Amino acid sequence: MSATASEEDLTDDELAGLELVRESGGIHQSEFWKALDVSSRKGSRIVESLVEKELIDREDTVYEGHNTYYLTPTAADLDFSLLMAGDMLSPFVADDELDTSSDAFSQWIMRLAYQ
């Protein structure tokens, strides 16, 4: 049975691979090893190690007509603090511009202010 590893236990290649998966939010394995500038064989070894250490998830997929894997950070690895405002989940997490004149936004700010 595998156990979650700490980052201190990782090789430089594994750290670079983990950072790539975290920064991208998800990447195909065929792009992963190219981005790291390693051979596909070495890239596969890095992925296998990170999966074993429960730092990334790997899912079967087809990409550009070829069977490959899609690599994502594990849920335990995601930083949800960016979604929080105090102890409340921010309802305004989006790529669009925020309408600061909206009633919902004003109500949310007032609830934060009164806590």
Side-chain angles (χ1 to χ4, degrees), residues 9-30:
D9 300 330
L10 301 180
T11 66
D12 289 344
D13 288 334
E14 290 168 339
L15 279 170
L18 179 58
E19 187 66 22
L20 175 60
V21 173
R22 284 177 175 166
E23 286 179 1
S24 66
I27 188 170
H28 290 96
Q29 186 164 323
S30 53

Side-chain angles (χ1 to χ4, degrees), residues 98-113:
L98 177 61
D99 179 8
T100 56
S101 64
S102 75
D103 287 337
F105 180 75
S106 298
Q107 290 170 8
W108 180 69
I109 293 295
M110 292 305 287
R111 281 197 307 266
L112 286 175

Side-chain angles (χ1 to χ4, degrees), residues 37-107:
D37 195 25
V38 296
S39 68
S40 61
R41 186 175 185 165
K42 185 171 185 172
S44 294
R45 286 189 196 133
I46 294 168
V47 167
E48 185 64 36
S49 178
L50 293 174
V51 169
E52 267 181 30
K53 293 173 181 173
E54 299 177 358
L55 295 170
I56 65 171
D57 291 322
R58 177 176 59 187
E59 180 181 327
D60 290 323
T61 190
V62 175
Y63 178 63
E64 295 183 350
H66 300 283
N67 292 333
T68 187
Y69 295 104
Y70 191 69
L71 313 173
T72 56
T74 58
D77 187 49
L78 299 177
D79 182 5
F80 292 104
S81 66
L82 299 174
L83 305 177
M84 302 301 290
D87 62 350
M88 295 175 60
L89 181 65
S90 171
F92 300 102
V93 178
D95 290 336
D96 299 332
E97 284 190 32
L98 177 61
D99 179 8
T100 56
S101 64
S102 75
D103 287 337
F105 180 75
S106 298
Q107 290 170 8

